[in-house]
Amino acid sequence: MEPTTAQPWDGNWLIMIDPYLWAALGACFAIGFSVLGAGWGIFMTGASLVGNAVRHPRITSKNLISVLFCEALAIYGIILAIIVQNKYAVSPYPLQAEDYKAAYAQFFAGLIIGCSNVGAGYCVGKLGAAIANADAADGSLFMKCFVMEIFGEAIGLMGVIVSVIMSSSSSFRGAA
């Protein structure tokens, strides 16, 4: 019996990986990076808010909106992960190009929303900390500065829109 030799590297490593793994990684990135971005934003906002609230207790309740904006980013990632999970359907047929297209769409949808939520979490966290500092110094600055924080949250919302469009563009062949 002759020893078997390894197959030569042909560069098709993308199709050697199970497409359901790509889709599952998309759901993991959606939740993982979204929670990371939300936590990062809550950390920055919360540290500044608690520090300023010791000296100026009046700023506590209205500046909690910044923390809620950060928490919404984590919810965006969970929503997309649920959408991706609902696209799963193990096909009884051999894998075809449609399955790989669906898998890559789910993977990149998760990656897009995760990365956009990390950026939005950083943006909202920095702005929330600055708003808490400004509100502690002068109470009339809160609404003027708060508008900028809405634009920071819009980054995460744009990631949701793009990811949902990308995720809904294709599904696995056995999906309902």
Side-chain angles (χ1 to χ4, degrees):
M1 175 176 248
E2 289 185 20
T4 59
T5 58
Q7 295 293 324
W9 177 255
D10 61 357
N12 290 330
W13 63 274
L14 284 176
I15 60 173
M16 292 171 37
I17 298 174
D18 188 34
Y20 298 104
L21 176 65
W22 287 111
L25 283 174
C28 290
F29 284 149
I31 291 177
F33 287 160
S34 295
V35 169
L36 177 73
W40 195 6
I42 290 170
F43 168 72
M44 287 190 286
T45 298
S48 179
L49 179 59
V50 169
N52 284 311
V54 170
R55 288 176 282 142
H56 305 282
R58 65 175 172 75
I59 72 166
T60 304
S61 60
K62 63 182 170 182
N63 279 289
L64 283 177
I65 294 172
S66 300
V67 174
L68 294 176
F69 273 0
C70 292
E71 190 62 33
L73 298 174
I75 294 170
Y76 294 162
I78 291 170
I79 289 170
L80 186 82
I82 291 169
I83 291 171
V84 168
Q85 290 294 322
N86 286 334
K87 296 279 186 173
Y88 279 20
V90 178
S91 175
Y93 311 108
L95 294 173
Q96 292 183 353
E98 301 160 24
D99 297 319
Y100 286 98
K101 178 185 173 196
Y104 299 145
Q106 307 315 315
F107 172 75
F108 285 109
L111 192 62
I112 286 170
I113 196 168
C115 291
S116 70
N117 284 342
V118 166
Y122 179 78
C123 181
V124 170
K126 284 297 248 190
L127 287 171
I131 290 170
N133 292 336
D135 190 25
D138 183 7
S140 67
L141 293 176
F142 178 76
M143 285 310 292
K144 295 174 186 172
C145 297
F146 181 70
V147 172
M148 295 308 294
E149 194 170 29
I150 293 171
F151 292 128
E153 177 71 18
I155 295 169
L157 198 54
M158 295 296 174
V160 170
I161 293 167
V162 170
S163 295
V164 168
I165 290 170
M166 182 174 280
S167 177
S168 64
S169 68
S170 62
S171 61
F172 291 98
R173 284 182 296 134

